[in-house]
Amino acid sequence: MSSIYVNLNDENYVETARLPLLGANPHRHVFPKVRGARQGLAPTSGSEDPEPWGVWCFSELFFIREPQDVTVTRKDPVFLDCQAHGEVPIKVTWLKNGAKVSENKRFQVLSNGSLYISEVEGKRGAHSDEGFYQCLAVNKYGAILSQKAHLTLSTISAFEIQPISTEVQEGGVARFACKISSNPPAVVTWEFNRTTLPMMTDRMAALPSGVLQIYNVGPGDRGSYCCVAATVAHRRRSAEAVLTVTPAKESKPFHTPTIIAGPQNVTASLHQTIVLECMATGNPKPIISWSRLDHKSIDVFNTRVLGNGNLLISDVRLHHAGVYVCRATTPGTRNFTVAMATVTVLAPPSFIEWPESLTRPRAGTARFVCQAEGIPAPKMSWLKNGRKMHSNGRIKMYSSKLVINQIIPEDDAIYQCMAENTLGSVLSRARLTVVMSEDRPSAPCNVHAETVSSSAILLAWERPLYNADKVIAYSVHYMKAEGLNNEEYQVVLGNDTTHYVISDLESASNYTFYIVAYMPLGASQMSEHVTQSTLEDVPLRPPEISLTSRSPTDILISWLPIPAKYRRGRVVLYRVSVRLSTDSTVQVLELPGTSHEYLLQGLRPDSIYLVRVTAATRVGLGEASVWTSHKTPKATSMQAPRSPELHLEPLNCTTISVRWQRDTEDPAAVQGYKLFYREEGQQERGPIVLAPGELLHTLSGLDPRRKYHVRLLAYSNIEDGYQADQTVSTPGCVSVRDRMVPPPPPPHHLYANANSSSSIFLHWRRPAFTAAQTINYTVRCNPVGLQNASLVLYLQTSETHMLVQGLEPSTRYEFAVRLHVGQLSSPWSPVVHHTTLAEAPAGPPVGLKVTLIEDDTALVSWKPPGGPETVVTRYTILYAPRKAWIAGEWQVLHREGAITMALLENLVVGDVYIVKVSASNEVGEGPFSDSVELAVLPKDPSGSNQRPKRLDSADARVPSGYYRLDQKSMTGITVGVGIALTCILVCVLILICRSKVRKSSASKTAQNGSQQLPHAGASTAPVNEAGKKLDRAVENRESSTPGMVPRSFIDAKGGSDLIINSYGPVIKNNSKKKWLFFQDSKRTRAEQPQRRFPPASCFYQPGTAVLVGSQDSPGSPGPATSFPRPLGAAVDAEPSTQSEGSQDTGDSGRFSHESSAELRLSASLSGSPPSSGSLVGREAAGERALGQGKGPVVQARP
């Protein structure tokens, strides 16, 4: 027994191991750690960077070193390593782009197998040494091919983006950018006045992408800036850009955050470093934060913030892929703006399953399995002794399997599985050993074939000459003789027959046959191959035709050749049938089989013609096509756009590709295209309006095995052009032998997320199955509840994600995905619903009004921004005195989106305030309204009646539409007022009559009635009755004013008589005069100038809002009066919070933040009704009480 030793001196090789080696001489083997190659043990599951270890499962032939990618400078020498180990002799040759490299003075293959190039040439074309190199090692066991090594020359381009001179205010931000393409990637540095800048300082950040950011610009930053790009062989300087610094303005107005340089989509390979830029401005300085759109946490171990908000990701891994969101937020507020970018991580191919060496008997079956992963998905291929294999007959290749049927001695070889994507290639190897049996029968002899029909051939043979008595079965093998990747079919028969009729063959096709005899211990060799053809038949399908018009009197009929599968022979003629749709007479034309178009002339303009075409072989005519209609243009349409050249192609069993080309000689100005299509026998769908630059459209969601008629025309701003008509058939979703194949499973884990008001990001997973063809996906998108099926959107992609754009804001959509593999289509995935975000308010709030309702309190009201689709979740009110406004110091109030008014409190008398409002939602904030000025005037010492001071951004007049009264309300008010006046008149007459009878007491009663009436116990019954009527009259009089204004309420703060409706405050033009006939006229005139407020006693209940007010008179005897209130009613108040001072945010602006408070008032019913004394007289006392703010003051929310 011998042993082999493994060298341990290099860290790239596994540790020494002494392994038994039977039947071989001692060898000293070195086993490299080749990433992703099969070396005995699989890597750790889930590892992104597998480090397999162990020994090869066989040692006949393998590589110790393989060539690697290299970048060199022109005229430099280069070595490409290649060292193979195995049983000698081993011959090594080199391939460049698949072709053998010939040795000469510049190219030499060294003794160890490496390739030496003395001078690398960089000429264009075939003389350039750039390309993909591989080494091929051969010994007696077979041949193996190395991985590809890409040899490139160091290059550098001119600057694609140069820095641009800019002017920045002192304290602002500056940004310079440059971009250059080079190989290898250039290192970009920046120079300031010809002096190299550091990569990172407190105020400057030089990003690897070629961007220089300067924050808090000062006078010392004035000067010239340029970027320098350098590689190992080249160095380039950009043009210089001048930074000009201007003095900062004294006032810095509030400015919402704006991202001036957002992140860009980036694609990176594993272990690279990337930077996502995010640079924002605003006043105050915004705070920049990062998040992921899928709400996953950002890796804190490999990410850090670079500069003032750039995100740096080092050692990129697969889990770093995703959509990253940069958010710039104003400190202490909810004002923000966002920008997004997608990070795509590419990974080189790596094996997750390796092929195993096999030993199989002759005529057996060998199956090799090989699976690899990577991003993008690697392409799999198989090699036999270093040569690429193709599926043909016995050998079938799938994406992850190699199957060899009916093994023959020539199949004994080394097989390699190669996985390749844009980042590189890896190979794994396995050997197939064929065992030969000595006691096996000879091959069947005298094999011959005879044609029976267009689909059947008779095959006959004789028994083997040797060991024929041991044969237990025969296996008949046949396949098409022409073409590659033909499938081989097998039929097993008993040993009692020596002939067989093979049916279900294609007409007019050549087939190859051979036979194998089987015995219990093995199989015989293959018999000799024979070839036989089937007979012709009539065509199975008609040609697909296309109709166009070049003038109003002609139709060009063209058709495509019938596919060979359905032609069933050589077409010798075509029969064209034409007739008018209004005439049954058919005109028949016969054309040779080599023609594919015919021009019909002398036709009627503006008429519908029907055309069909029939193909014929030497056997006879086949099936005719369906009648295809075409309308000739009008005779007046000489300037209409000409018909485009139309091409239809089925992509799969449910999708058709529509392509067209415009006539280059057409002088008409095309405004676009109109596309119509219909299934045979169904109603036409369309038009689908396409832009003039579009020349491709995909029709999806079709049915398999159906014939579709497509019509396309160009249109101008005057009229529609000439149309082109064509028919096409969708293939069936079946296998080549018409056996039903189960459809592939649908995609799963469909996920939708809205990232704007017009786009939704979709992501799904590919189902777990293997396929040799490329997988495509169809995404179905439509609004929920859509009735018009023609508006359903179908999108095509080969990726497992898609950004669906062009959607409507605030609309709920449903999505589904299906996949296509060759001619197979999966069912639709489960439907996922998602709603697009609302649009940020495009305009400011309108109708802004500011009214001074007290000496230090103002009411701000507005209306929502225009547009029915605008959703507002919050309003921001900024106000400040003129001096603070100049300094950029605003005070901030916020209100929910359902509230359109706010109170500004603690205003300073004598100042002029600036007020503006903006609307926002979760997407962003809209613009601010025009500023409105409010002058807070000092109180007039005369105490005369004054209207509240109001300023607004529009006309100060109250629109007539503020009071909207219908006929019923007007009638009720008129009747009520009439009854009240009647009662007053009756009371006055009663009092006049009684005054004549009792003059001595009447004057005393009239003067003191307002004070003594509540305690007049000696009054007669008629007087008491009159007092009650007076009470009711007062109540009617007081409650009538607010009742006339729907959706209004009274702001009782401070006893004001201000009425506010949905449009804002309403100022009454007349002052109330109540019951003055009870008082002396002189006294009334004396008290008139001092009266400032009407009695604040009312009971008002518009809709569900309740407002209750009361007034206590300190000068009136008896208990305090109270009004009855709804039992348990709570009045919700909206207080206007105020700031006791500006809070310093750390920036130039200072904001006064409001505090949230809610006032709730609960009251129960009062036991005693109000007396007449609380209604009549004592106005001066009531004024003093209200002026001191006594009594409950409630502002009800409408």
Side-chain angles (χ1 to χ4, degrees), residues 1013-1030:
L1013 188 58
H1015 308 285
S1019 300
T1020 61
V1023 175
N1024 292 336
E1025 190 71 298
K1028 294 179 181 179
K1029 293 182 179 180
L1030 289 176

Side-chain angles (χ1 to χ4, degrees), residues 7-56:
N7 194 340
L8 289 185
N9 295 330
D10 196 320
E11 63 179 1
N12 292 324
Y13 302 99
V14 299
E15 296 183 358
T16 302
R18 183 178 178 87
L19 304 174
L21 183 65
L22 298 176
N25 294 326
H27 297 281
R28 190 168 181 83
H29 288 259
V30 182
F31 297 90
K33 284 189 177 181
V34 180
R35 181 173 299 171
R38 175 63 178 168
Q39 291 179 302
L41 296 179
T44 304
S45 176
S47 173
E48 297 176 357
D49 190 9
E51 293 290 346
W53 59 275
V55 296
W56 297 109

